[in-house]
Amino acid sequence: MAVGAKRGINPDSPLARLIAGPMRPGRLAWIGLRPARRAALVHVERAEVTVEAGLIGDHHAGRADGPRQVTLIQAEDLSAIAAFLGQAGPASPFDLRRNLVVEGINLLGLSDKRFRVGGVLLEATGGCHPCSRMNDILGEGGYNAVRGRGGLTARVIEGGEITVGDAVTVEG
């Protein structure tokens, strides 16, 4: 798919060239698995990822080619969410319920792209919008604090193992 095609951007435009421009690599900072719907996340240092099942041990596992096989959020957004709630320190990845926390790379820049986390190839499928439970988990205003900062959803194109510390790079 051409850069910006989902956004209706002319692929030959200066804006499309900027969007397709280089991005510094990021780093995988945290991995969490959701063993069951509404169950507490389990923090792990490494995880197996397959095309057929997504993250092994996550309740979304087994949904081949699903658009939410993996969810990601930026570490930088955890600090912003806490600030919007008037809290010191970053929000907890356990509360946001995303699988992967990455740092040093702008997830919005990965929209409509394929990217690697370690050796695993993912394809961004859309925004990971907050759910109504954010007010229950984060307190009053939690839903609005996460709006626009909920991260990305992705599907697995090539599986493998990921480990905290792996590079996050745009496939290109």
Side-chain angles (χ1 to χ4, degrees):
M1 179 173 296
V3 171
K6 288 184 180 176
R7 294 186 192 101
I9 297 171
N10 177 343
D12 298 321
S13 72
L15 178 58
R17 285 192 296 279
L18 287 171
I19 290 171
M23 291 179 67
R24 287 178 28 126
R27 177 183 166 279
L28 178 58
W30 189 88
I31 304 169
L33 302 175
R34 302 162 297 194
R37 188 172 189 272
R38 295 188 175 256
L41 266 76
V42 176
H43 173 254
V44 297
E45 290 295 314
R46 66 187 46 177
E48 187 68 27
V49 184
T50 68
V51 173
E52 300 78 22
L55 283 155
I56 302 301
D58 190 75
H59 79 93
H60 278 283
R63 298 178 185 182
D65 199 36
R68 292 182 59 94
Q69 285 182 307
V70 180
T71 58
L72 302 94
I73 193 165
Q74 289 176 207
E76 295 83 356
D77 283 337
L78 296 176
S79 295
I81 290 165
F84 293 145
L85 293 168
Q87 299 173 350
S92 169
F94 287 99
D95 292 340
L96 276 290
R97 305 193 54 75
R98 303 304 186 260
N99 296 123
L100 308 180
V101 177
V102 300
E103 59 188 9
I105 192 164
N106 184 347
L107 285 179
L108 188 58
L110 299 178
S111 298
D112 301 337
K113 294 183 180 170
R114 289 184 172 184
F115 56 97
R116 288 200 179 270
V117 178
V120 172
L121 181 62
L122 302 174
E123 179 179 65
T125 56
C128 193
H129 306 291
C131 69
S132 60
R133 292 186 60 217
M134 289 298 99
N135 275 357
D136 297 336
I137 295 169
L138 299 173
E140 190 66 28
Y143 178 87
N144 282 319
V146 179
R147 283 178 62 196
R149 298 195 179 272
L152 284 179
T153 58
R155 76 172 37 97
V156 180
I157 305 301
E158 294 173 7
E161 186 176 85
I162 57 173
T163 303
V164 169
D166 281 348
V168 180
T169 57
V170 175
E171 183 77 356

